[in-house]
Amino acid sequence: MRTVLMVAEKPSLAQSIAKILSRGNMSSHKGLNGTCSVHEYSGTFAGQPVRFKMTSVCGHVMTLDFLGKYNKWDKVDPAELFSQAPTEKKEANPKLNMVKFLQVEGKGCDYIVLWLDCDKEGENICFEVLDAVLPVMNPAHGGEKTVFRARFSSITDTDICAAMARLGEPDHNEALSVDARQELDLRIGCAFTRFQTKYFQGKYGNLDSSLISFGPCQTPTLGFCVERHDKIQSFKPETYWVLQAKVNVDKDRSLLLDWDRVRVFDREIAQMFLNMTKLEKEAQVEATSRKEKAKQRPLALNTVEMLRVASSSLGMGPQHAMQTAERLYTQGYISYPRTETTHYPENFDLKGPLRQQANHPYWADTVKRLLAEGINRPRKGHDAGDHPPITPMRSATEAELGGEAWRLYEYITRHFIATVSYDCKYLQSTIAFRIGSEHFTCTGKTVISPGFTEIMPWQSVPLEESLPTCQRGDTFPVSEIKMLEKQTSPPDYLTEAELITLMEKHGIGTDASIPVHINNICQRNYVTVESGRRLKPTNLGIVLVHGYYKIDAELVLPTIRSAVEKQLNLIAQGKADYRQVLGHTLDVFKRKFHYFVDSIAGMDELMEVSFSPLAATGKPLSRCGKCHRFMKYIQAKPSRLHCSHCDETYTLPQNGTIKLYKELRCPLDDFELVLWSSGSRGKSYPLCPYCSNHPPFRDMKKGMGCNECTHPTCQHSLSMLGIGQCVGCEGGVLVLDPTSGPKWKVACNKCNVVAHCFENAYRVRVSADTCSTCEAALLAVDFNKAKSPLPGDETQHTGCVFCDPIFQELVELKHAASCHPMHRGGPGRRQGRGRARGRRPPGKPNARRPKDKMSALAAYF
């Protein structure tokens, strides 16, 4: 029997699709990576009985990166990244072993059906999957077609079965357009980011951003925010005057009239008009009109409109809204949420999704009435040729979804019902008055038929007092006429919704990437999100944009990126050559980069005004090993030490606190050590600022602390304080924290495992001896006699933290509070043999699994 491998984009999608296609008759098991499941069932394919294997990836299988030395900022001139630096595809998440997993599942299969999301990114992932699987599949017989692509827009029985019945082929051109975008963003972004980060962080201490990043889409996005900021700053309010008249309709009713001139900016002229009218006692009706008008129902919902409404009305950031929508999609509640289309195709079944809502407690009456009276065909919108508009696919309640997922689903459903409802009709009445020589108007609206506003009440025509019935020549007594002084007001900062509109209008990013670009400028500390989800640029964001304008405005204007996006779309349509577009665009930006580097002094002049030089920032902390003067600790991101005498800067570990470590010095370079800590519940370790930035040994990497230093005799090094292999990760070593007493800790130098041990001991030392069972270093522990937990009132004991039964009750394994959630497993998983201190004699085979204590420690996972 032949085998068909089917691959979806996410594990939850694979399960849903397999359940539909197998009609619930399938067996499931976890794959070798422990993340993706494999669902198997029998059926027919191409007219023959086959065994189906449905599994998934977790987004992109591969990612693009530079090779070797080109990933090291200090070793390569950023200009080389445009053309000379070779790139390679690496596994996006090596821990998932996705390539190996796909090869194991694909080995011996005869056909492959790709169920990746139906957008450009999905097409790209199709070919990543094929690159992994095709080499291990059975060879095709006689030119037989073995690769198929399923295209679908929702996770419903109808859509999935229809997709299976009309399988196509993956689109190589769309995949190439994504490859082009990835390479452009990598080369251009990295070159500019590395240069300006190194340049400005080497000069200024209070930038408060760990990365001064540039992005071909990110930077124009920031440019929109700063452009609005500049308009606000340069705005000069002007005083203007308006006339306001009030007439009596009867004893209890009056009408407020609007001046036809609207406003004047000269007070004397306004006073003149007031003098001409204030003596008049009556307002005469000049004309009346009554017109029936309609407020159009909304266009069908696409991604950009959903993100706009989520930000402006639901208070959800674009990225969070997109993640919520994707979750609703994978659970089968809505159709695919990434679409630019606002037009339903003629053959789209509108009544099917509508019937799903017929018994919903919130809108059942409206839906039943529409189904009974007949739905209204949605307005003709834009057909981008991708997916149908976002549509609710099955009914859900607030209790079922909860929180923000429900609010987004409710909006999507109300919007859909509104698109098949009728327009709102209302009667607009207008009365034109004359008071003296000046003309005034009064307008009123009366709803005739609420139409779609019944389901979208926030769009309803505002209730206004009905106007009196009158005709030309009628008069009404004037009760009041006065002159009001007002001022023009500046525009407000851009809301996320307004920014999304600008990005869409200028072609910056795609419906999928717009939320990412907005999130990036927030994370880089270029803008802050204020109340009402308004984006206010920070000093750093403002100076960067002004600097780009000063050097090369095209770096921040949307025009050049918009042109690139058009070229990428031509690649996707097969109308442009991938290599030519890539080469031309990189050549343009390479020239711009060289000009930017040569002209950086222009941006630096702006930086000098807004930020403090390194020498004037921070507080003295530890001594430099070269000049023996105090270096200053700069706490603002990225935290670092700066020696103003040597003009050297040393990067420190981030996201923790730094303090001087007992004025102890490194034996290699005479720099004073500092202590990094993530808090009382977390890890801490000493480090030498110079060794951390300039690793002294080949097996050390930049950024390592003393707990990873392989110096053979230094009392702070891994060689002297390391105990044994971590039980929670591969390659990590548990190291004694000598600063943690009397609440002693042993922490992994790679992951977040922390073992709390020997509380109230006044001294803990790492012995030169090793455990005969697991080869971990022994610990020598001294207790005060009054607080000793040792049997027989003993105060000293030397033993293995893993194997010694006396230490069993004195060790508690935890995880550092600031790190990721713990990995879980059973007693048989990652039992960790105490090694890694170089204590195992050469040639000795792997040690046996430690006994009771090791099992007890591993049980925490």
Side-chain angles (χ1 to χ4, degrees):
M1 186 183 287
R2 291 190 161 193
T3 304
V4 180
L5 177 67
M6 304 203 291
V7 184
E9 193 157 320
K10 299 179 184 71
S12 56
L13 276 176
Q15 183 179 11
S16 300
I17 294 168
K19 197 172 181 180
I20 291 169
L21 293 176
S22 69
R23 295 182 174 86
N25 187 23
M26 63 184 185
S27 61
S28 303
H29 65 269
K30 282 284 184 188
L32 69 83
N33 64 6
T35 302
C36 302
S37 295
V38 182
H39 312 282
E40 300 190 37
Y41 63 96
S42 298
T44 58
F45 185 82
Q48 57 187 318
V50 294
R51 181 171 67 100
F52 287 101
K53 289 171 68 176
M54 181 82 195
T55 187
S56 74
V57 291
C58 295
H60 274 283
V61 179
M62 310 299 285
T63 187
L64 191 71
D65 204 355
F66 293 114
L67 275 171
K69 70 171 186 177
Y70 291 96
N71 271 321
K72 296 176 181 176
W73 287 34
D74 298 327
K75 299 281 180 74
V76 176
D77 180 353
E80 294 181 31
L81 301 180
F82 284 98
S83 53
Q84 293 170 283
T87 59
E88 65 173 343
K89 290 270 190 176
K90 297 179 181 176
E91 282 204 53
N93 190 341
K95 291 182 180 178
L96 289 178
N97 280 322
M98 194 59 72
V99 172
K100 186 178 179 183
F101 164 70
L102 288 170
Q103 289 175 341
V104 167
E105 297 304 330
K107 190 172 183 181
C109 289
D110 301 281
Y111 305 100
I112 182 167
V113 180
L114 300 158
W115 289 85
L116 286 307
D117 288 351
C118 299
D119 56 11
K120 289 173 187 171
E121 296 290 336
E123 296 302 320
N124 191 261
I125 300 172
C126 281
F127 287 92
E128 292 175 356
V129 172
L130 291 176
D131 287 343
V133 173
L134 285 180
V136 298
M137 284 175 59
N138 291 334
H141 300 290
E144 182 185 20
K145 185 179 174 183
T146 58
V147 176
F148 299 89
R149 174 72 160 114
R151 303 193 185 279
F152 56 100
S153 295
S154 63
I155 313 302
T156 60
D157 294 18
T158 307
D159 212 9
I160 295 301
C161 292
M164 190 67 184
R166 54 168 195 273
L167 297 174
E169 295 180 6
D171 189 326
H172 191 242
N173 288 327
E174 288 199 349
L176 278 178
S177 75
V178 174
D179 283 339
R181 179 182 282 108
Q182 286 178 348
E183 187 163 346
L184 288 174
D185 289 351
L186 176 72
R187 292 185 182 277
I188 296 166
C190 284
F192 278 90
T193 297
R194 288 185 190 183
F195 171 72
Q196 59 189 32
T197 299
K198 286 173 68 178
Y199 187 88
F200 291 121
Q201 284 186 350
K203 292 192 71 174
Y204 302 101
N206 56 342
L207 297 175
D208 201 23
S209 181
S210 53
L211 203 66
I212 315 299
S213 64
F214 174 94
C217 286
Q218 170 195 303
T219 304
T221 303
L222 173 62
F224 291 129
C225 300
V226 176
E227 183 183 12
R228 177 61 64 89
H229 168 83
D230 291 343
K231 285 180 181 177
I232 294 169
Q233 296 302 308
S234 61
F235 183 83
K236 293 180 180 177
E238 287 186 84
T239 304
Y240 65 91
W241 290 264
V242 299
L243 293 190
Q244 190 182 81
K246 192 185 286 186
V247 298
N248 291 331
V249 177
D250 52 40
K251 288 182 180 178
D252 303 318
R253 280 182 65 199
S254 60
L255 292 177
L256 207 60
L257 310 185
D258 297 319
W259 192 23
D260 284 8
R261 294 184 192 274
V262 184
R263 61 186 179 180
V264 292
F265 287 88
D266 189 311
R267 192 183 193 287
E268 291 182 3
I269 292 175
Q271 185 66 50
M272 178 190 74
F273 287 128
L274 177 64
N275 294 339
M276 290 165 60
T277 55
K278 69 179 181 180
L279 298 177
E280 298 291 329
K281 302 297 182 185
E282 290 183 334
Q284 185 172 341
V285 176
E286 292 279 289
T288 62
S289 68
R290 289 164 68 86
K291 281 185 182 177
E292 186 177 304
K293 292 196 170 185
K295 185 174 184 178
Q296 281 192 310
R297 61 200 182 280
L299 285 167
L301 186 64
N302 67 0
T303 306
V304 170
E305 181 62 18
M306 180 190 73
L307 295 177
R308 269 198 291 257
V309 173
S311 176
S312 60
S313 302
L314 305 181
M316 297 169 68
Q319 190 161 40
H320 179 53
M322 199 68 239
Q323 289 167 349
T324 305
E326 285 176 347
R327 205 158 51 244
L328 289 170
Y329 161 67
T330 57
Q331 292 168 347
Y333 290 108
I334 65 171
S335 63
Y336 193 59
R338 297 185 191 274
T339 177
E340 296 175 17
T341 295
T342 58
H343 176 72
Y344 282 106
E346 295 300 320
N347 60 352
F348 190 90
D349 178 18
L350 293 164
K351 288 187 177 179
L354 200 59
R355 286 192 195 98
Q356 291 281 332
Q357 308 294 336
N359 295 314
H360 198 282
Y362 284 9
W363 42 73
D365 292 345
T366 304
V367 170
K368 285 175 181 175
R369 189 165 61 250
L370 276 171
L371 288 169
E373 296 174 0
I375 63 172
N376 191 17
R377 188 74 202 163
R379 289 168 57 196
K380 187 172 179 63
H382 169 65
D383 185 0
D386 49 358
H387 286 271
I390 304 168
T391 309
M393 301 313 296
R394 62 186 173 101
S395 185
T397 62
E398 186 171 3
E400 198 176 331
L401 298 178
E404 291 178 331
W406 159 253
R407 291 195 297 131
L408 188 61
Y409 171 82
E410 182 188 14
Y411 170 72
I412 291 168
T413 306
R414 288 184 181 275
H415 190 110
F416 168 69
I417 298 169
T419 61
V420 295
S421 298
Y422 289 85
D423 292 346
C424 170
K425 293 180 180 177
Y426 62 94
L427 193 67
Q428 181 169 296
S429 305
T430 305
I431 305 175
F433 291 91
R434 181 174 58 79
I435 304 176
S437 59
E438 288 305 293
H439 295 271
F440 295 82
T441 307
C442 187
T443 304
K445 295 173 184 173
T446 308
V447 174
I448 301 170
S449 169
F452 78 94
T453 63
E454 189 176 10
I455 196 72
M456 297 177 84
W458 61 90
Q459 294 274 20
S460 59
V461 174
L463 291 172
E464 294 180 359
E465 199 170 0
S466 59
L467 298 185
T469 304
C470 58
Q471 56 188 6
R472 180 184 171 90
D474 289 351
T475 58
F476 293 89
V478 177
S479 63
E480 182 184 33
I481 187 160
K482 58 184 177 182
M483 183 173 71
L484 301 177
E485 182 180 303
K486 296 185 178 183
Q487 274 195 330
T488 55
S489 56
D492 212 335
Y493 286 103
L494 283 178
T495 62
E496 285 173 331
E498 291 167 337
L499 179 57
I500 290 166
T501 303
L502 284 170
M503 292 174 74
E504 182 191 32
K505 177 183 173 183
H506 291 280
I508 300 299
T510 64
D511 53 357
S513 65
I514 282 173
V516 177
H517 301 315
I518 296 175
N519 188 57
N520 281 344
I521 63 172
C522 295
Q523 286 192 332
R524 297 284 184 265
N525 195 34
Y526 294 161
V527 300
T528 56
V529 182
E530 305 291 313
S531 61
R533 302 207 67 83
R534 293 188 179 276
L535 301 170
K536 183 178 181 181
T538 61
N539 264 352
L540 179 58
I542 294 164
V543 171
L544 280 174
V545 170
H546 288 174
Y548 294 134
Y549 271 118
K550 194 172 182 181
I551 297 171
D552 181 357
E554 284 191 335
L555 291 175
V556 73
L557 288 172
T559 47
I560 193 164
R561 182 60 194 196
S562 179
V564 172
E565 288 288 349
K566 287 175 184 174
Q567 291 297 310
L568 294 175
N569 284 332
L570 289 175
I571 294 174
Q573 295 163 18
K575 297 177 181 177
D577 182 73
Y578 161 75
R579 285 285 161 207
Q580 286 182 352
V581 171
L582 197 62
H584 174 71
T585 307
L586 286 174
D587 184 56
V588 169
F589 273 95
K590 184 178 181 179
R591 294 167 189 268
K592 288 183 173 296
F593 177 77
H594 283 298
Y595 183 73
F596 180 73
V597 171
D598 293 341
S599 311
I600 193 65
M603 184 182 280
D604 197 23
E605 288 171 3
L606 302 177
M607 285 281 188
E608 283 178 349
V609 176
S610 300
F611 300 102
S612 306
L614 278 174
T617 313
K619 297 178 180 178
L621 180 72
S622 65
R623 290 185 186 273
C624 170
K626 296 178 180 179
C627 66
H628 300 288
R629 289 178 168 85
F630 275 103
M631 297 188 292
K632 284 188 173 181
Y633 171 46
I634 298 158
Q635 203 165 355
K637 287 184 180 180
S639 57
R640 54 210 190 275
L641 286 167
H642 177 69
C643 177
S644 54
H645 185 264
C646 302
D647 196 22
E648 293 277 357
T649 304
Y650 303 97
T651 304
L652 297 171
Q654 305 300 304
N655 304 319
T657 58
I658 293 284
K659 61 183 180 182
L660 189 63
Y661 183 50
K662 302 178 182 177
E663 297 186 359
L664 297 171
R665 294 178 181 267
C666 174
L668 291 173
D669 49 49
D670 212 29
F671 273 70
E672 281 188 335
L673 303 183
V674 294
L675 184 73
W676 178 88
S677 173
S678 63
S680 59
R681 295 176 60 206
K683 295 171 26 173
S684 58
Y685 56 83
L687 66 112
C688 165
Y690 190 84
C691 291
S692 183
N693 285 265
H694 305 92
F697 305 112
R698 286 185 178 180
D699 55 355
M700 287 181 67
K701 293 180 181 177
K702 193 172 179 179
M704 286 183 170
C706 295
N707 62 349
E708 294 183 80
C709 176
T710 51
H711 191 292
T713 58
C714 175
Q715 61 177 320
H716 317 293
S717 70
L718 170 66
S719 304
M720 301 302 289
L721 296 176
I723 297 168
Q725 182 177 318
C726 176
V727 296
C729 70
E730 302 289 344
V733 180
L734 292 174
V735 182
L736 176 68
D737 180 353
T739 68
S740 57
K743 296 185 177 182
W744 296 91
K745 288 186 286 191
V746 172
C748 176
N749 61 4
K750 299 284 187 191
C751 73
N752 61 329
V753 168
V754 176
H756 293 263
C757 52
F758 317 125
E759 189 167 346
N760 296 321
Y762 74 86
R763 185 166 58 197
V764 177
R765 290 173 291 111
V766 180
S767 168
D769 300 323
T770 58
C771 174
S772 59
T773 303
C774 70
E775 293 189 12
L778 302 183
L779 290 181
V781 185
D782 291 1
F783 284 96
N784 286 319
K785 192 165 187 178
K787 295 184 178 181
S788 175
L790 300 175
D793 293 331
E794 292 289 327
T795 60
Q796 295 182 339
H797 185 76
T798 300
C800 175
V801 73
F802 300 118
C803 308
D804 194 314
I806 293 176
F807 282 167
Q808 281 206 2
E809 302 303 320
L810 305 181
V811 179
E812 182 185 8
L813 192 73
K814 293 187 177 179
H815 286 72
S818 64
C819 299
H820 57 270
M822 65 175 73
H823 308 283
R824 294 193 176 274
R829 186 180 175 203
R830 289 184 180 170
Q831 296 291 339
R833 294 173 291 278
R835 51 183 177 82
R837 291 195 64 214
R839 299 183 186 277
R840 179 183 298 162
K844 186 168 181 177
N846 286 346
R848 292 164 294 155
R849 180 190 302 166
K851 297 178 184 175
D852 303 315
K853 187 57 191 172
M854 178 56 84
S855 298
L857 285 171
Y860 280 88
F861 294 87

